[in-house]
Amino acid sequence: MRDILELENVSLIYQSELKETEAVKDLSFSVKDGEFVSIIGPSGCGKTTVLSMIAGLIPTTKGKILYKNEQIEKVSSGVSYMLQRDELFPWRTIEKNVYLPLEIKKIKDASAYERANDLIKKYGLEDFKKAFPHELSGGMRQRAALIRTLSTSPDVLLLDEPFSALDYQTRLSVCNDVYKIIKSEKKTAILVTHDISEAISLSDRILVLTKRPATLYKEHVLPFNKRLSPLKRREQKEFPILFDVLWRELNDEN
Ligand SMILES: Nc1ncnc2c1ncn2[C@@H]1O[C@H](COP(=O)(O)OP(=O)(O)OP(=O)(O)O)[C@@H](O)[C@H]1O
Ligand SMILES: [Mg+2]
């Protein structure tokens, strides 16, 4: 598999009138096409900043980020970002929420809307197309937000704590759904999470960052069979061992 994303010695310093904040320092890693990579690290270490640079929302202070071998300089339709607190707009119906990125990007082809409708149907929201977000469960809203992120047919999905607002039970089942959707659509995903179990249950690889300024501390390639669902992974004997290793690494860094 080829690399779809490469970060080469990336650093980011936020400048304000009063101070400089070094958020990311000399960070390098790459992601292969179709890979699911999770990023974990201490609170405030610079994880959202890393995703924002990959999304093209903020330029790097030093170093470069390549998407399909080309330097990212602005927001690209190939990379789609689901924000840390991605809310559906309460005054728009589910279908209108899903169409929003198409409207923003001024995409008018009927085929793009057909594709969005197919996703709504395929992932069980057909009967709720005309409903408003408050009429759906938390898990369904999360699925709708993910479908919205997929509506412009990106290759890479950036997911910043997408499940943090859900209760534990819902979180497990939404995780399973989201995993299925990402794998069946053959997307590359980078997930930022605080939840070690979630990272182990979803990823091909986990990157552990240091405390701020974030740089790469450890990297783990997970040993699971690709056909195992996130829920099944939780039952494997390697699961608690990995949890323990990652937990220690995060605490070393706190
Ligand atoms: N726009 C900004 N201007 C100035 N400083 C910022 C800005 N955004 C983030 N920071 C600072 O950069 C550092 C990293 O922030 P970031 O949001 O990337 O961390 P994070 O790892 O995502 O945190 P969390 O785990 O709480 O989500 C923090 O010290 C934060 O205060
Ligand atoms: Mg964050």
Side-chain angles (χ1 to χ4, degrees):
M1 273 191 294
R2 66 190 174 122
D3 288 338
I4 192 163
L5 266 180
E6 289 163 85
L7 276 76
E8 295 175 3
N9 309 102
V10 169
S11 299
L12 191 284
I13 299 171
Y14 288 108
Q15 307 269 5
S16 70
E17 275 174 33
L18 296 173
K19 61 171 183 166
E20 283 193 343
T21 307
E22 193 176 22
V24 178
K25 187 173 187 171
D26 205 19
L27 178 66
S28 300
F29 67 87
S30 53
V31 179
K32 293 197 187 312
D33 202 2
E35 200 179 15
F36 198 121
V37 174
S38 290
I39 296 179
I40 62 175
S43 185
C45 77
K47 302 178 295 296
T48 296
T49 304
V50 172
L51 291 194
S52 303
M53 288 189 289
I54 299 173
L57 294 171
I58 47 178
T60 64
T61 308
K62 268 197 216 146
K64 42 183 183 177
I65 304 183
L66 305 175
Y67 166 63
K68 295 185 173 170
N69 297 321
E70 295 208 11
Q71 197 157 342
I72 292 182
E73 270 149 9
K74 55 179 174 52
V75 178
S76 135
S77 61
V79 181
S80 185
Y81 195 178
M82 188 164 156
L83 299 170
Q84 194 156 5
R85 266 172 287 280
D86 211 354
E87 301 278 343
L88 298 170
F89 289 107
W91 59 86
R92 285 190 148 223
T93 59
I94 295 305
E95 63 176 355
K96 288 267 163 73
N97 264 289
V98 169
Y99 301 154
L100 188 67
L102 298 174
E103 290 173 23
I104 292 171
K105 292 198 166 130
K106 301 198 167 41
I107 297 173
K108 297 227 168 66
D109 344 344
S111 65
Y113 285 84
E114 255 168 52
R115 233 190 70 83
N117 284 325
D118 286 346
L119 289 169
I120 291 173
K121 197 184 287 175
K122 192 164 163 193
Y123 299 116
L125 292 174
E126 176 75 1
D127 294 342
F128 293 87
K129 270 171 83 164
K130 308 279 181 205
F132 289 90
H134 75 269
E135 299 172 79
L136 273 64
S137 70
M140 290 161 88
R141 281 200 293 272
Q142 214 68 21
R143 234 183 302 152
L146 183 73
I147 293 171
R148 177 172 66 183
T149 313
L150 289 168
S151 67
T152 52
S153 305
D155 293 321
V156 179
L157 297 175
L158 306 174
L159 308 168
D160 196 352
E161 308 255 8
F163 315 119
S164 54
L166 302 172
D167 65 77
Y168 186 67
Q169 288 299 327
T170 312
R171 207 172 161 128
L172 290 185
S173 85
V174 172
C175 241
N176 237 28
D177 286 353
V178 162
Y179 181 82
K180 266 193 246 159
I181 296 173
I182 289 175
K183 287 294 169 191
S184 80
E185 302 297 319
K186 298 193 170 59
K187 302 297 181 194
T188 305
I190 304 182
L191 169 76
V192 162
T193 178
H194 276 116
D195 184 332
I196 299 174
S197 310
E198 191 169 282
I200 304 172
S201 69
L202 289 165
S203 325
D204 297 312
R205 188 154 52 100
I206 299 177
L207 308 177
V208 185
L209 302 184
T210 62
K211 57 178 179 286
R212 192 175 68 76
T215 192
L216 193 59
Y217 177 49
K218 293 275 159 106
E219 179 172 0
H220 299 270
V221 176
L222 302 197
F224 303 109
N225 183 317
K226 298 258 184 290
R227 283 188 297 268
L228 282 181
S229 71
L231 278 173
K232 283 276 170 221
R233 282 191 188 193
R234 290 176 185 261
E235 296 164 7
Q236 305 300 302
K237 64 175 189 316
E238 295 89 348
F239 197 93
I241 303 169
L242 274 162
F243 185 94
D244 197 46
V245 169
L246 288 162
W247 192 81
R248 279 168 206 273
E249 287 174 2
L250 270 184
N251 284 288
D252 284 350
E253 273 309 308
N254 267 312

